């Protein structure tokens, strides 16, 4: 019974069905009938015109998106715990020719507007120092916290005041939408976000992520960079079909709702042990090594995050009986 | 009835089945049971130990592979018509930090050993000129010609004499193996090839290509670069499963055999019109605009390659009745 | 008696004097009184407002200038014999993140407008091919030929028609100005040139070159890249002072006139042996190995350019007695 | 009376004389008689064989040197206040294709071995995280502190234990040698340093810095990168001559001794106000805005470093009467 990572879960049945349905000859690259429907489908989700590209990984989405916002000579502000800093092997620097990540602090991997402003204020506006060019935040964060529309908009304002582009890493965007109850629009372009990495793989997709440009002027160069980075698959329809299947009937929200619900059950059980409030599908739980061992002995699998702290992640297909059993085991500690 | 590109064909049933079979929770990235079998499976094909990585595109395979053979300050020798020069948006330069492609001439996009030597001899060995570091050839070539084991080995010798790494772009490697009757080993490491981009997508795969290191010392850095370039999919098992399914029972050879057979039928019909001998699954056929229009009017779709010249490509699943009909139509011109 | 390269000549006395005169404390980098005069001094030369930066090498000037005109994903069109292709170790690709040089043919290293147009026409306007973004020419060329204002303007028009930026490598710009009798303005911005690498080192400077932006919008980012590439010297005044000294009283023209005059003397002597007309300070002379050896035996030093061909270069301080002696020796062959 | 920066001081007379003496025709680039003497001259200073290259800036020296120690996929550990992080516009990332700087803390911009070890220990050894590849320290530091031979060797050991290359930014290496009384060898290769950026410009040079390889295997590629980055000046002899002039008779030590002596005088006067001990030629002095204004009113010029803190820098040619006057003024506060 794995509570290790939503990364490792299976793809949902609708995705598998969509692949089979797309399995016929069509135009290569992104000229097929599925790819051509993406702009429309995501425009409906976001209530505004967008340019929507498929890519296979969040790292590619983040890197291509950020390369549109930050020149090689600039810097991207992000949290010290951001995925782009910690878990992408320096991909953003590779994609935009060597840009720097400027690291911000803050509890729960959340960035505050005043932190952005303070970081910018520390930089002398001269040629000797790398100048900030973009802000990237993650919703839900690496610690499972969410930004509300108001919080996002305040960051959008801080970015705008300094002339920074604004990118949202939405590897778990679906979980944030479900958790906040806000609309996709409120959490993105209405709050100033120009580019969104819209995650599907952790939420039941197989290998397709969305890269959404609210500032559509970036899309042309982004398509060039997608090709240049080897991310323009020749049979792109199998990615587009996944995204369409998950948008259809709001399956993406249903999946996220299921993952969040499982996390909520565990959060109640672990109430006294939580390092952060549980606002999405991740829990960081204080647990001694002995306690962790006891839980593992019952057949549960999870990540040792830090000394005395474990991480539990729930996925779209988490077995609710296993969840109940784990909740019970935690309560029994 | 499309004879446009093998890029656009459907994925073969075994691939679809393999995806379904892999659709359960396993370890993320390349720690899953399918990915862990790749080295063994490809070692069997090549009769030697290899390191085998999955990637999603030939561009990624070529770029990562070449980055292991050529430093940012070096040059890659390739044919002027090579895919890495003409169709990858400069990806090799992005991946290795700005290396240069030095373009070689030769009929049918084939490179000759003496051309390699002459190009190297033209370069002054000083810091002012970019020094050659690697040779990349394509088998089958962009014009559907193949290199025999002896031809490949002669190029391997030429590369070795100049201290060049040796990369083989095998987007249509399967077609070359079938066509030459040579073993995979003879066409690669036995001829000096150190890195192979082993194509599956044009041959019935969905979105998985193989990147094979015969010089296994490169594999560790290649895995780093795969991650850094955003090509380490979190659910990698769906790629590994495709490759295993196509290696299983030599399906990859059967698929290529079918494609080549279709091309052979057309080649006979177009015998007097062929720009190059047909040695794989591509035909370049002299045809006036009026003739091409007449063929198209019968429902056949293909690419206008050059004035008075069209390209026909056959795929693993080419309908042999359509092939026969097209052959008849060409003969009737 | 060296006719090897203008690269190797001494610095002219005015430059040495200027260094001594600048040898006192002032503001670091480019905030000193000499650097602050550059825009004005070059504006006077070019009869228009410019942004003028000092750098230490032509390679730096070319690379920074071209990086303003061509994105990492684009291509720079230049002659196959251009310095940026043959003698700069791939610097342009390093500076702009991997851009490609597309090589043009043409006698005497001269580019023709129709060659530019033909090269652009060959590129499919899609994401698979690297798109041309800039044109770079050299005046005088690597073979000592010059472009007239009309020839330059025709190239400017060809560039504009394709949306290409237009860069002029003027390593021997002074020689071209003197030779053509055209004004600096006519050979540059009036003909569509946006960025000029204005050479001084081959013309009597010590280690300062000018990088001139007629499209001044590029200057800010160019200053950033000059710093980022390690070319913002902390005691920049010693570079600025050199440039000012050579502009003062048109010393740069006097120096070039002397070099060209020496070449003209030799050109007359070698009239029947010239590979190209002599329009600047370089001669390419047909000479058998035995003839070359005979000349060398008289104490003359020069470069073997190609089988049966030598290169003679004259400098600002070429000793006219040695020139006369060499002329006589060539005539006597 | 400027106490602003040693960057802004004049070049010392021996340097000016050396330029005049080198002002005659010789071989271009680094084939001249002066450049050819560098290895020997620096070998004498360091009591071991070295490869010594001239470059024009410390940024170029640092960036080329670090590119030899850290691949594009790696990270350079350095202090948060290091020049390479704060004042080089991201040059190290440009030179090595996007490497990351990992920032270390510590008072006075000094790095401790345990900080290096802790930073390395935090990195998971997998492909997701950028792996540390090199350590760069600065002696004297940005706050004018020095590392002793023992402190340097301890860092060398920490680097070696983790397989890190070891680079020393010696922009003020001369001041550190004089201050510690240690030999150049003890502060470098005997302590594990593989590459040294040996500063001359702040110490009375005009525009030449030394890049010294104790691990001589790096020199060949460094020479390539020097060219590729536009730092191979065609008249390199004027740089080599400067370096030789300053090594001759240990002028570099005499100059540094003078600068340090001036700082020592000021340090005594400001004893109660010093933020850090004064171990080289920089002082960081606590001073209210009113006090700073009072000092400035007397004709002294300096940098406001932080609220309530000013920076005073002394140079090789600091007028000792002005120093005495400033000392008196500070005491009188």
């Amino acid at each position: 019974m794995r509570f290790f990572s939503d990364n490792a879960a299976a793809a949902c049945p609708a995705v598998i069905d969509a692949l089979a349905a797309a399995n016929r000859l069509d135009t290569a690259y992104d000229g097929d009938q599925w790819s051509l429907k993406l702009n429309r489908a995501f425009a409906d989700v976001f209530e505004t015109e967008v340019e929507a590209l498929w890519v296979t990984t969040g790292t590619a989405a983040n890197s291509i998106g950020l390369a549109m916002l930050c020149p090689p000579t600039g810097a991207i502000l992000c949290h010290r715990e951001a995925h782009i800093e910690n878990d992408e092997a320096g991909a953003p620097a590779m994609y935009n020719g060597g840009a720097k990540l400027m690291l911000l602090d803050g509890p729960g991997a959340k960035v505050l507007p005043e932190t952005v402003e303070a970081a910018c204020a520390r930089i002398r506006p001269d040629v000797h120092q790398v100048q900030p060019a973009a802000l990237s935040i993650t919703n839900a964060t690496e610690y499972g916290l969410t930004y509300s529309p108001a919080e996002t908009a305040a960051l959008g304002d801080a970015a705008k005041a300094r002339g920074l582009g604004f990118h949202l890493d939405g590897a778990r965007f679906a979980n944030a939408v479900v958790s906040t109850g806000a609309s996709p629009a409120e959490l993105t372009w209405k709050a100033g976000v120009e580019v969104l990495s819209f995650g599907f793989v952790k939420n039941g997709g197989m290998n397709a992520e969305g890269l959404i440009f609210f500032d559509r002027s970036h899309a042309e160069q982004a398509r060039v960079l997608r090709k240049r980075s080897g991310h323009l698959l020749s049979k792109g329809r199998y990615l587009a079909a996944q995204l369409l299947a998950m948008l259809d009937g709001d399956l993406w929200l249903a999946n996220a709702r299921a993952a969040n619900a499982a996390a909520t059950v565990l959060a109640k059980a672990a109430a006294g042990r939580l390092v952060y409030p549980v606002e999405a599908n991740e829990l960081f739980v204080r647990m001694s090594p002995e306690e962790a061992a006891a839980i593992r002995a019952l057949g549960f699998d999870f990540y040792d995050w830090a000394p005395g702290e474990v991480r539990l992640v729930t996925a779209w297909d988490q077995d609710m009986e296993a969840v109940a059993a784990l909740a019970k085991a935690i309560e029994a500690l």
Side-chain angles (χ1 to χ4, degrees), chain A:
Chain A
M1 293 171 290
R2 293 197 90 181
F3 292 82
F4 204 88
S5 175
D6 38 9
N7 250 353
C12 63
V15 161
I16 299 289
D17 293 347
L19 292 177
N23 196 32
R24 42 197 162 104
L25 184 145
D26 202 313
T27 303
Y29 305 112
D30 59 356
D32 61 274
Q33 55 173 297
W34 294 269
S35 297
L36 294 176
K37 284 178 191 150
L38 287 185
N39 284 2
R40 187 70 256 138
F42 280 97
D44 289 347
V45 169
F46 287 101
E47 307 170 58
T48 190
E49 294 304 306
V50 300
E51 287 278 338
L53 284 70
W54 43 253
V55 289
T56 56
T57 64
T59 296
N62 288 338
S63 296
I64 296 173
L66 285 166
M68 299 303 110
L69 301 182
C70 181
T73 53
I76 299 159
L77 277 71
C78 68
H79 196 279
R80 184 178 303 286
E81 303 282 347
H83 201 266
I84 57 173
E85 160 66 10
N86 270 333
D87 299 287
E88 301 193 352
M94 174 180 171
Y95 272 69
N96 78 357
K100 182 175 171 170
L101 302 190
M102 281 187 190
L103 307 181
L104 308 177
D105 291 302
K110 279 185 82 168
V111 173
L112 296 175
E114 48 267 36
T115 317
V116 172
E117 175 51 33
C120 291
R122 267 197 305 275
I123 308 296
R124 298 186 314 265
D126 64 26
V127 301
H128 300 267
Q129 298 209 312
V130 177
Q131 301 299 310
L135 170 65
S136 178
I137 65 167
T138 309
N139 195 11
T141 76
E142 285 70 17
Y143 288 105
L145 299 185
T146 57
Y147 292 92
S148 69
E151 288 172 320
T152 309
L155 285 160
D157 289 346
K160 201 169 191 179
R162 285 291 185 171
L164 309 178
F166 191 13
H167 166 256
L168 176 57
D169 179 351
R172 294 188 180 94
F173 182 65
N175 305 283
V177 170
V178 163
S179 170
T180 59
S183 74
E186 288 168 329
L187 286 175
T188 57
W189 63 275
K190 287 188 176 174
V193 171
E194 294 163 271
V195 186
L196 167 68
S197 302
F198 190 151
F200 285 87
V201 173
K202 290 180 197 292
N203 194 30
M206 180 184 284
N207 47 27
E209 305 277 29
L211 174 55
I212 314 298
F213 289 95
F214 302 108
D215 178 343
R216 290 180 288 157
S217 70
H218 294 308
E220 188 180 336
Q221 270 302 303
R223 288 178 199 274
V224 171
L225 187 53
R226 178 174 63 173
K227 171 64 198 179
R228 181 170 168 88
S229 59
H231 283 285
L232 182 63
L233 275 66
S234 53
K235 300 183 179 175
R237 57 191 179 279
Y238 299 101
L239 302 189
Q242 291 179 52
L243 300 183
L244 294 173
M246 289 188 65
L247 293 184
D248 191 40
D250 285 341
L251 175 59
W252 66 290
L253 292 174
N255 280 359
R257 214 168 277 129
N260 284 11
T264 302
V265 170
L266 296 175
K268 273 183 202 151
R273 299 170 169 271
L274 293 174
V275 182
Y276 301 107
V278 175
E279 299 176 1
N281 66 325
E282 294 188 290
L283 299 94
F284 295 82
V285 181
R286 278 183 290 269
M287 213 177 265
S288 71
E290 296 72 28
E291 290 173 327
I295 302 282
R296 282 200 175 98
L298 298 172
F300 299 100
D301 188 16
F302 46 84
Y303 201 84
D304 285 321
W305 190 256
E309 191 178 329
V310 307
R311 186 184 75 169
L312 306 174
V313 188
T314 56
W316 68 277
D317 62 348
Q318 208 74 42
D319 173 29
M320 289 306 281
E321 289 189 30
V323 170
L326 176 55
K328 204 168 144 190
I330 293 173
E331 280 170 343
L333 285 175

